[in-house]
Amino acid sequence: RMRLNYLKEHKYAEYIILWSQDKLKKHLKDIDSTANSRFDLLMKQFTERENITEELKATNQLEWVCRMNSIKNRVEDIILNELIYM
């Protein structure tokens, strides 16, 4: 929905072209699929790079939650900038 709203508000010509060629649904599904797989991959890479493990989760849950939320926010920003608002 974010991509759809972005197209309607900021790239209306592209939205109309996709809609008129009956490619809008496929485009939105592709973006959604790519965003979800990219999210999973980046979350895994960031947690490995920052050494966030199940051991940390078991020993210090608050620290684990803070660090995971930080990673999640960064990953979401990357995805929004690279896929949704392009």
Side-chain angles (χ1 to χ4, degrees):
R1 289 186 179 185
M2 293 172 77
R3 178 67 176 165
L4 177 61
N5 290 337
Y6 177 76
L7 287 173
K8 284 181 181 179
E9 293 176 15
H10 300 283
K11 295 195 173 196
Y12 193 71
E14 186 176 344
Y15 166 76
I16 292 297
I17 291 168
L18 288 169
W19 180 78
S20 65
Q21 294 177 349
D22 202 27
K23 295 180 180 180
L24 183 60
K25 282 186 180 181
K26 182 182 181 329
H27 172 76
L28 295 174
K29 285 181 182 180
D30 290 345
I31 292 290
D32 183 59
S33 175
T34 303
N36 285 324
S37 61
R38 183 109 167 101
F39 179 85
D40 294 339
L41 176 66
L42 288 174
M43 285 294 291
K44 182 179 179 188
Q45 289 176 344
F46 276 56
T47 54
E48 288 174 357
R49 185 177 346 156
E50 296 183 24
N51 199 26
I52 300 173
T53 63
E54 290 296 316
E55 182 181 330
L56 176 63
K57 184 178 178 181
T59 58
N60 191 345
Q61 289 181 348
L62 186 57
E63 176 69 20
W64 183 85
V65 168
C66 289
R67 292 174 69 183
M68 289 300 288
N69 282 339
S70 173
I71 290 173
K72 182 179 176 238
N73 290 334
R74 286 182 277 159
V75 168
E76 286 175 346
D77 283 344
I78 291 169
I79 290 171
L80 289 173
N81 289 318
E82 288 183 357
L83 294 173
I84 306 302
Y85 302 136
M86 59 172 211

